[in-house]
Amino acid sequence: MNPLEEELRRLEKGPVAPDGAWIEVGSVYGRDWRQVYWRSETRCFPGRNGGMVKRRYIGQEGSPRHKQALEAVANRERISKIRRILSYNCSG
């Protein structure tokens, strides 16, 4: 197996952010910490009532959940890059 395909499979086993989602960080009034949210233009996060929502609370900046979300975004970007390389190599 191609080393890029191996890396792709490894990355897909970990956390991967939804396409089009990003992380927003904002201050909390009267607090000395900042909160972090997932954001998206489309409804891609499970909501509390069983529906899908565009915004999902992650937690405090620097928390384990925030670090996992950052890893998920980085993994999505790596996966996208590897797929572009593989599709270029296959088509050329």
Side-chain angles (χ1 to χ4, degrees), residues 17 20-28 33-41 45 54-63 65-67 69-70 73 76:
W22 65 91
I23 297 172
E24 284 189 353
V25 180
S27 58
V28 180
W33 53 273
R34 295 170 10 129
Q35 60 189 0
V36 183
Y37 284 89
W38 279 111
R39 293 295 302 259
S40 177
E41 291 182 9
F45 303 106
K54 295 180 182 182
R55 179 177 166 158
R56 180 86 181 175
Y57 183 69
I58 295 173
Q60 289 186 19
E61 184 178 38
S63 69
R65 289 181 63 199
H66 178 216
K67 291 175 184 175
L70 292 171
V73 171
R76 181 189 64 203

Side-chain angles (χ1 to χ4, degrees), residues 1 13 19 23 28 43 53 66 83-84 89:
M1 184 183 304
K13 290 180 182 176
D19 288 335
I23 297 172
V28 180
R43 297 176 186 271
V53 295
H66 178 216
R83 285 184 177 154
R84 281 193 306 271
N89 289 341

Side-chain angles (χ1 to χ4, degrees), residues 1 3 5 8 12-13 21 29 32 39 50 56 63 66 71 74-75 78 80-82 84-86 89:
M1 184 183 304
E5 291 171 342
L8 183 63
E12 288 174 337
K13 290 180 182 176
Y29 181 76
D32 60 350
R39 293 295 302 259
R56 180 86 181 175
S63 69
H66 178 216
E71 179 184 357
N75 284 349
R78 288 185 199 116
S80 177
K81 183 177 182 177
I82 291 171
R84 281 193 306 271
I85 291 169
L86 291 173
N89 289 341

